[in-house]
Amino acid sequence: MNAKYKLIKNSRIIDNTRYIVYGIECYYDNNYYDSFNDIVLNKSEAQEICDFLNKHNISPVHFIDIVEDFIAK
C-alpha cells in the first residue's frame, strides 16, 4: 500500500469572518485520491489525524471513515 496523507490549509468565510481551516489530502501511488478541505480550525488536531493515517499506513478506502470518526469524537 502506498498511501500518503498531507496536511492542507484553507480559509473559509463564515458570517463575514475569515477563518483558517485545516484538512488532509490523500495520495495513492503518488496520485491525488481524495481530501477533506476543512476538518478543524486547530492545526495540531489536523496534524494529529494526518500523522495517525501515515503512521498506520491507512488504506485510502478507509480515509473518509477515519476522518469522520475523528470529527465525531
Side-chain angles (χ1 to χ4, degrees):
M1 178 83 50
N2 191 15
K4 299 288 181 202
Y5 299 90
K6 176 182 152 187
L7 188 68
I8 54 175
K9 177 180 169 181
N10 292 296
S11 65
R12 295 283 183 259
I13 297 175
I14 302 169
D15 295 330
N16 295 321
T17 302
R18 181 177 300 274
Y19 294 92
I20 300 298
V21 294
Y22 297 91
I24 299 171
E25 287 182 336
C26 174
Y27 293 86
Y28 183 70
D29 288 336
N30 295 320
N31 295 306
Y32 175 81
Y33 183 83
D34 201 358
S35 66
F36 273 93
N37 292 318
D38 54 357
I39 299 171
V40 293
L41 297 171
N42 185 309
K43 182 179 180 180
S44 64
E45 288 181 26
Q47 189 65 59
E48 177 185 341
I49 188 65
C50 189
D51 291 345
F52 175 87
L53 292 163
N54 283 314
K55 178 180 178 182
H56 297 285
N57 198 26
I58 301 297
S59 167
V61 173
H62 301 293
F63 172 51
I64 293 171
D65 294 328
I66 289 176
V67 172
E68 286 176 345
D69 288 347
F70 178 80
I71 293 168
K73 72 173 185 169

